Amino acid sequence: MFLRWIRILIVLLLAAAPLVVAGPGTGVAQGVQQQAPTGLVADQQAVLQALTKKTDGFETQIRDKAEDDGALVEIRLQLEDLSRQALKSALAFRPRLSEINGRLEQLGNPPPEDEAAEADIVTDERNALKSEKAQINVVLANAESLSLRINGLIEKIGTLRSELFRNLLTKRYVLTDALSGEVISDAGKEADSFFNAVSSWLSFALKFKFQAMLVATLLALTAAAVLMIGGRRLFGRLFVADPNVSEPSYLGRLSVAFWSTLLPTAALAVFFVATFFFFDYYGVLRGDIGIFLRTFMAVTAIIFCVNRLANAALSPGLPNWRLIPVESAPARWLVHLATAMAVVIGINNFLAVVNDQMGSPLSLTIARSFIATIIVGVLLILMGSVRPFRSHTGDWRPWPRWLRYCAYALGLFTIGAALFGYIGLALFVSLQVVVTGTILVTAYIGFLSARAIGAEGGFGSSSAGAWLGQKSNLDETTLDQFGLAVSIGINLLIVLVFLPLILFMWGFQFGDIQAWGYKLATGLTIGSVTISITGILTGIVVFVIGYFVTRWFQGWLDDSVMARGRVDTGVRNSIRLIVGYAGVAVAGLVGISAAGIDLSNLALVAGALSLGIGFGLQNVVSNFVSGLILLAERPFKVGDWIVAGDVSGTVKKISVRATEIETFQRQSVILPNSNLINGAVGNWTHRNKLGRVEIKVGVAYGSDIKRAHEVLLEIARGHPLVLKNPEPFVQFVNFGTAALEFEIRVFLADILNGSIVQNDIRFAIIDAFAKENIEIPSTPRATVEKHAPWPTDDDKIEADFAEETRIKAEATEEYEKKRPKRPRKPDPN
């Protein structure tokens, strides 16, 4: 019984321990905190109810506007925003759930029935936490259900838009009603209505908004002029083809074709956009007129761009600047045909907008589209039929087969689709041929121009590169690097400008591109990996800032702190290197964290690489560790004269992988740090530059040896760079074979002056020995035997040698015949 009461008392003390430690104000705070979750749950429930109500409204709008592609895109953008809000509402509970789970782990499970009951305060707290957690889970379930519903509506919008696009291309119209006589009368009525609407607006604008229109037009002209004049000033000869240049370079032709198309079109687009903006700002436009004006401006810009591109690529008036090697007369025809196709497509699009605003009958729309597609098909066939080349015999040759057949196929397909009633498909193909073809050709010319500028020597050979080189005195390498940067910039400009235009032409809306851009910027999830362009750019910017801050701190520490403190050069170099490596490492880690990359995930990569480091990178790691040891122990420093094996020279740089040594022949030797750690290294200037040098000299036998010793000692003591303490010493070393050998040993305050001292002492010895008549013997020179010249006639030498051998053999044989033979002794056996 006593033990049971002891256990109950311990449980009560443990339950009250947090209140005692936290202080008297904790109870109030805890009470407030228990009330906060209830308010949080209620707030998020209200948010989810509002989001659910908005979702119901969007679902109704989807049913009502199932045929409007632009409206569906806007609804999808708003639904994606609702999805993000629902996710944000769910994430609001994350901190509180972490607190609840942590507290429940501290409290643990209720004790079994056979054990002593826990305190009521512990049970109440556990039940309250579980109840709050259950409420939060209900709200999270509602948020998840709402998110799934929103995602389902987004997928439904995608399905509806795909069906609309397929219906547009596959819907078949009856041409008999569209081509009846009523179409002409309907067209006349619509023309009258359009003329009346425009004339009434124009009379109103001229009477009441004339000053506003004039100011808006002037402002728009100013904006366009700034772009045009600035482009001319910036690009110069890249903008206009010079007729005086007989053989322009390929890069020059590409640049002129690209910039002479892009800049005027951009200036016209700026003028139109600024005009429309100021007209709308000053209240000049009304609803239908604004739509007509916007469409007219877009159509005019497209026609202008097609005409500029055709003239720039074909250049009918300047054959030398022509990108496509065609004759001048066919070039003019091709420019006219391309411009005519753009005009037909532009007028058709403008009339389509007029038909929509005027509520024209379907037959008029079909007739208009039918005529436009037939004309475009005929123009394509005519373009394929042009014979633009001339052979050396003067005969006209057609396009290559693949290009000619492609033009025929597109033209016949467009005409056939229109004749069979597939007006939407024929119109879509015509539009892509004209507009998308123009965009792709312009982008392709831009890519070729960027590649030519980025090639080695490409930018320097251009007019802009020559002008920049004259103004800034940059060398060819710097101009090449600048040209590479310009090439990358042009490629990025082309992608950012022309890719959205192509997507627009293929049925995508601005909202689609906006949604893709948001996903790409905030994070694109591939499996379990999330790639965020914004995060990556942020990480790069943070790393660059950290890198430059590290370099600045290195310079400040070296120049302002250690230089003033008279710190040794080697110590300064070591500290500067350590600070640099540490700063770059910290900047890299911070940049990786800023990019949103979880460093804990890199532990797996590091673990996988450790095996490779252990086997394949042993030398690299060994040199790295050796470099750290050299920087820490400093057995030698920058400026020291060291001897490592066969290498002798001055230390120029110590890095974590290798050490740079400059020999006295000015040769840079890169020694791995592990060689310097594991091998013997001699350092002439380790603690100080004090050192000893020796000069050997020989004295001839028979000379006054004692006087020679005195002369050598006087010369050593008389040199100004020789130290008095330790004093110089002359030693009689050996009795040599040709001379009596002496060795002068002197100490210098700076061992680096050893060569100078040795040289001076040797000159002084020669002069002094000459005055004292002391001879310095020299070893006898080797005699070189002169050999007979190499025979010029090998056959004659061989013949003479054979004759001499024959004569000797005959003489030997004759001698053997004349020599008396000795009697043979009998065999003793």
Side-chain angles (χ1 to χ4, degrees), residues 591-614:
I592 292 174
S593 300
I597 301 176
D598 189 3
L599 294 177
S600 61
N601 296 332
L602 298 179
L604 299 176
V605 180
L609 290 177
S610 61
L611 184 62
I613 292 174

Side-chain angles (χ1 to χ4, degrees), residues 184-309:
I184 299 176
S185 60
D186 292 338
K189 294 177 182 179
E190 184 168 298
D192 293 337
S193 301
F194 176 73
F195 177 76
N196 293 331
V198 174
S199 60
S200 63
W201 168 78
L202 190 59
S203 61
F204 165 79
L206 292 176
K207 289 181 180 179
F208 301 101
K209 298 290 184 178
F210 178 74
Q211 293 183 353
M213 292 176 62
L214 183 61
V215 172
T217 305
L218 290 177
L219 291 175
L221 283 174
T222 302
V226 169
L227 179 60
M228 198 72 176
I229 296 174
R232 286 181 178 272
R233 302 275 289 183
L234 179 62
F235 296 99
R237 296 181 180 178
L238 299 178
F239 188 81
V240 180
D242 188 358
N244 298 323
V245 180
S246 58
E247 294 182 359
S249 63
Y250 179 65
L251 174 59
R253 288 181 290 160
L254 284 173
S255 300
V256 167
F258 179 68
W259 294 110
S260 64
T261 301
L262 183 63
L263 284 180
T265 305
L268 182 63
V270 168
F271 171 72
F272 283 157
V273 171
T275 301
F276 186 85
F277 172 78
F278 288 120
F279 275 17
D280 185 63
Y281 179 78
Y282 289 115
V284 177
L285 301 176
R286 68 186 190 201
D288 55 346
I289 298 299
I291 296 175
F292 295 154
L293 183 61
R294 183 172 64 243
T295 306
F296 175 77
M297 290 177 174
V299 167
T300 305
I302 291 174
I303 296 173
F304 179 79
C305 180
V306 172
N307 181 263
R308 292 291 303 181
L309 178 62

Side-chain angles (χ1 to χ4, degrees), residues 686-699:
H686 180 44
R687 303 191 183 280
N688 51 57
K689 294 184 179 181
L690 178 66
R692 192 187 76 179
V693 295
E694 296 85 15
I695 302 97
K696 294 182 180 181
V697 61
V699 176

